Amino acid sequence: MRTHFCGLVDETLIGQTVTLAGWTDVARNQGGVCFIDLRDHEGIVQVTVELDNAQVFAIAASLGYEDVLQVEGVVRARHAVNDRLRTGKVEVIASAITVLNKAAPLPFHAHENPGEETRLKYRYLDLRRPQMQRMQRTRIRLVQALRRYLDARGFQDIETPILTKATPEGARDFLVPARMHPGEFYALPQSPQLFKQILMVAGFDRYYQIARCFRDEALRADRQLEFTQLDMEFAFVGERDVQDFVEQMIRAIFAEVIDVELAAPFPRMSWAEAMRRYGSDKPDLRIDLELVDVAELVKDCGFAVFTAAAHDAEGRVAALRIPGGASLSRKQIDEYAAHAAKYGSKGLAYIKLSEAGEVASPIAKFFAQERLAALIAHVGAGNGDIVFFGAGGYNTVCDFMGAVRLKAGKDFGLVSDGWRPLWVTDFPMFEWDEQAQRFVALHHPFTAPAVDDIAQLRAHARTAVSRGYDMVLNGNEIGGGSIRIHRPDMQSAVFELLGIGQQEARAKFGFLLDALNYGAPPHGGIAFGIDRIAALMAGTDSIRDVIPFPKTTGAQDLMTDAPSPIPDEQLAELHVQVRGGEK
């Protein structure tokens, strides 16, 4: 049907007859001549139809946007070169045009940028747009490069089950009724975690998989119900073995796919330091702003919000200096307070220093003059700056002050260019869930603690550190992993600390505990978010742009109208009864 791709026609083909196939990107009838920009997945070439070929000219004059064509013609050098096109030095003089399919009037044109709802409803048209083609190709090159890199280094690509056992310990599982086992269900995997650990027990040593994963959770720009991970696992390794290997891999992949040289080596930062300095366990180091602890300077002031947090062993009072921030109006300051409230803040105090050095602040009255001056000096504020303060529980203050830091960095143009990767290490082993009154795992229940002594872990569970690690790039966690628990007694102890009793542990994870009993080697691994890395490489804020058929934030597929009701007869076959109202 075609001899060449449109976007690959060049000067080497001048004088030759070619057959092309593609879509009408633009058709221009200029009276004595018609010009067609013919597009396929490789690009655009100009097709010229001259008036002396009356039959072909009539077809060309009738063409509309996105009509599908087959064109035969001779390649000729263009008189007016178009430097914006790879094919801009040549054109194809059409001798025959066949309309393979007429396109109906379009809801939008390939060169427009419609609203996201329209884009997702007509995703096939959206994906034809040049910028979407570019982003999808970036993702394709990323996956190809990862496979080549790992295949060449002895990793084994092993598929793990999609229909598996429900073991909810975090996000909700998607459940699948088991028709042949009435009343029982499979779950779609949130990750291949347990299977890849069992592959290490089975002696496969180095595993990887480009894995589809599923989590029934709220969506946002960087999260989907179904997503793709690069999962990896290594036997007989420690933290640095895993980290050093995958760091080299990520540097190589960025260089190959988008010609970017990342720092070598990546800096390392403990979780505690990241939270203290940046209020985040995935700090964006392109923003040169840091939180400063001021509890010692405010514990005796007259402002009860500060003093309560300063005297609380689990509290924090933190300050953030924003250079040039004195330009903020009261309305804009209120917007920062509203932004902080989304992350748990009950109020955002501030001190504004005018260019003349005058202090404007609703909290200044609570400080003696010399103590206020000492506070301002401690945070490094100068004329023209604003200082925001947050007080409350330590992690809550980190969350909302970290969010204020990111907003200020963007608002004031303080995000530097380039790529700033780092490792965040030494995560807490557990978090205390006040509502459930129990510990929950910060990474997952299979992450090994830094201490190898069970009694010591039990005695110091609140402060225990794990052997977990995350790779962060420009404020995005692109990979997370850990050294795993390989001893059954330690795994049982961790389950116990998480409030998972022996009976529940056997019901949910008995197969893992059994496997660990039969000579499990020390092992560890990591998983990288393919969607997130592809989005960073493509320069988009939303992973939906690099996923061919994503869901909306309302968890719907607008193109196929999924999810949708299921007929009663089909539900009966699955032994499922639906309760609740109509959609």
Side-chain angles (χ1 to χ4, degrees):
M1 183 166 281
R2 64 185 173 194
T3 60
H4 297 80
F5 291 113
C6 298
L8 300 182
V9 178
D10 59 20
E11 302 96 306
T12 64
L13 297 173
I14 289 175
Q16 296 185 32
T17 298
V18 297
T19 302
L20 309 175
W23 288 267
T24 306
D25 195 73
V26 176
R28 306 180 299 277
N29 183 351
Q30 298 189 349
V33 64
C34 275
F35 297 106
I36 304 164
D37 286 349
L38 190 65
R39 185 189 73 245
D40 65 13
H41 83 287
E42 288 288 358
I44 290 174
V45 68
Q46 178 173 286
V47 174
T48 302
V49 185
E50 296 173 337
L51 188 58
D52 57 0
N53 191 337
Q55 184 179 1
V56 176
F57 190 91
I59 295 172
S62 69
L63 294 175
Y65 289 127
E66 301 301 310
D67 287 346
V68 186
L69 311 179
Q70 182 188 54
V71 174
E72 183 176 325
V74 175
V75 180
R76 183 176 76 181
R78 282 181 67 162
H79 298 299
V81 172
N82 185 347
D83 292 327
R84 293 175 298 175
L85 293 179
R86 183 167 51 176
T87 62
K89 294 182 179 179
V90 296
E91 60 185 345
V92 176
I93 307 302
S95 56
I97 294 178
T98 303
V99 178
L100 302 174
N101 205 353
K102 290 289 289 182
L106 302 173
F108 62 91
H109 189 262
H111 296 283
E112 296 174 348
N113 189 18
E116 187 169 58
E117 187 169 319
T118 301
R119 290 175 56 198
L120 293 180
K121 181 172 178 60
Y122 300 97
R123 189 62 165 179
Y124 38 86
L125 296 179
D126 185 42
L127 288 171
R128 286 186 199 170
R129 298 190 302 136
Q131 61 267 46
M132 291 299 292
Q133 290 270 320
R134 176 184 63 80
M135 288 191 278
Q136 297 302 320
R137 289 190 180 206
T138 297
R139 182 196 178 102
I140 292 165
R141 290 197 303 273
L142 166 63
V143 172
Q144 291 172 335
L146 287 168
R147 288 193 183 280
R148 282 195 300 270
Y149 190 94
L150 294 170
D151 289 342
R153 287 158 180 81
F155 279 77
Q156 299 169 91
D157 182 0
I158 305 174
E159 290 184 344
T160 54
I162 292 295
L163 295 177
T164 183
K165 183 180 179 66
T167 55
E169 273 299 315
R172 294 183 184 89
D173 286 327
F174 278 102
L175 301 178
V176 180
R179 182 182 59 82
M180 292 186 290
H181 299 273
E184 297 182 351
F185 295 81
Y186 299 104
L188 303 183
Q190 296 188 30
S191 85
Q193 180 62 46
L194 299 184
F195 288 104
K196 66 181 183 178
Q197 287 189 241
I198 288 173
L199 285 169
M200 296 301 100
V201 180
F204 283 95
D205 198 80
R206 287 190 167 193
Y207 144 96
Y208 87 93
Q209 183 182 189
I210 307 293
R212 293 293 283 174
C213 303
F214 307 85
R215 291 180 188 169
D216 187 3
E217 59 186 354
L219 304 191
R220 55 179 187 244
D222 64 346
R223 188 168 291 174
Q224 284 279 297
L225 299 177
E226 51 182 317
F227 54 96
T228 306
Q229 288 184 177
L230 165 63
D231 262 276
M232 303 172 66
E233 201 76 7
F234 308 64
F236 300 106
V237 289
E239 291 91 328
R240 287 302 291 254
D241 298 312
V242 177
Q243 293 167 15
D244 290 346
F245 180 90
V246 299
E247 182 178 318
Q248 292 172 16
M249 178 188 75
I250 291 296
R251 279 202 299 271
I253 296 308
F254 268 76
E256 177 180 343
V257 177
I258 59 172
D259 196 25
V260 164
E261 297 294 330
L262 297 177
F266 293 179
R268 282 172 164 75
M269 183 181 299
S270 70
W271 176 89
E273 182 183 358
M275 297 298 282
R276 176 176 57 81
R277 293 173 61 186
Y278 303 107
S280 172
D281 58 6
K282 48 180 184 294
D284 190 341
L285 299 185
R286 296 174 302 165
I287 301 172
D288 192 21
L289 299 175
E290 294 192 21
L291 306 184
V292 178
D293 286 311
V294 297
E296 287 301 316
L297 291 172
V298 303
K299 61 171 30 176
D300 297 323
C301 75
F303 188 38
V305 174
F306 282 6
T307 57
H311 285 92
D312 184 347
E314 297 183 358
R316 185 179 193 189
V317 186
L320 177 68
R321 166 189 167 260
I322 302 173
S327 62
L328 290 173
S329 67
R330 181 54 192 266
K331 179 183 177 184
Q332 290 170 316
I333 291 172
D334 289 343
E335 289 172 356
Y336 271 84
H339 183 69
K342 297 175 185 176
Y343 298 86
S345 168
K346 295 181 180 178
L348 197 63
Y350 67 91
I351 294 175
K352 224 176 12 172
L353 297 172
S354 72
E355 292 293 348
E358 297 170 342
V359 173
S361 169
I363 64 170
K365 62 187 176 183
F366 296 105
F367 292 87
Q369 188 170 353
E370 63 278 6
R371 182 54 63 94
L372 185 63
L375 179 62
I376 291 170
H378 182 69
V379 299
N383 294 352
D385 295 346
I386 192 170
V387 181
F388 283 119
F389 296 88
Y394 193 93
N395 287 344
T396 301
V397 170
C398 289
D399 287 345
F400 71 75
M401 290 299 285
V404 169
R405 174 182 174 270
L406 292 178
K407 177 174 170 58
K410 294 172 182 175
D411 290 350
F412 286 85
L414 301 176
V415 183
S416 62
D417 293 331
W419 301 85
R420 297 292 303 275
L422 80 152
W423 284 105
V424 177
T425 63
D426 304 317
F427 282 79
M429 185 74 182
F430 307 111
E431 285 183 307
W432 181 253
D433 186 327
E434 282 291 343
Q435 186 172 355
Q437 286 294 293
R438 69 178 184 92
F439 288 117
V440 293
L442 195 67
H443 264 88
H444 54 59
F446 319 106
T447 296
V451 298
D452 203 34
D453 184 271
I454 292 174
Q456 190 176 350
L457 176 65
R458 286 178 172 142
H460 303 285
R462 283 186 178 271
T463 57
V465 172
S466 78
R467 299 178 70 181
Y469 38 80
D470 285 355
M471 185 184 287
V472 176
L473 182 60
N474 290 4
N476 297 272
E477 177 210 326
I478 62 170
S482 67
I483 299 302
R484 322 303 189 188
I485 298 169
H486 70 282
R487 285 173 25 211
D489 58 341
M490 178 63 80
Q491 186 64 77
S492 293
V494 168
F495 285 155
E496 181 186 327
L497 285 165
L498 292 170
I500 303 172
Q502 289 186 7
Q503 186 173 350
E504 183 183 1
R506 285 302 311 175
K508 290 182 176 179
F509 307 110
F511 62 97
L512 174 67
L513 293 170
D514 289 343
L516 297 182
N517 268 309
Y518 292 106
H523 59 283
I526 194 166
F528 287 95
I530 295 292
D531 310 309
R532 196 166 298 174
I533 296 174
L536 286 168
M537 286 181 162
T540 177
D541 292 330
S542 174
I543 62 170
R544 289 193 289 275
D545 287 336
V546 294
I547 297 173
F549 302 103
K551 305 292 187 291
T552 66
T553 53
Q556 291 179 291
D557 182 337
L558 298 181
M559 186 183 74
T560 65
D561 196 28
S564 58
I566 299 297
D568 290 341
E569 315 86 72
Q570 191 173 352
L571 292 173
E573 287 182 350
L574 298 172
H575 311 282
V576 170
Q577 185 175 15
V578 176
R579 297 190 303 177
E582 294 292 323
K583 179 178 177 181

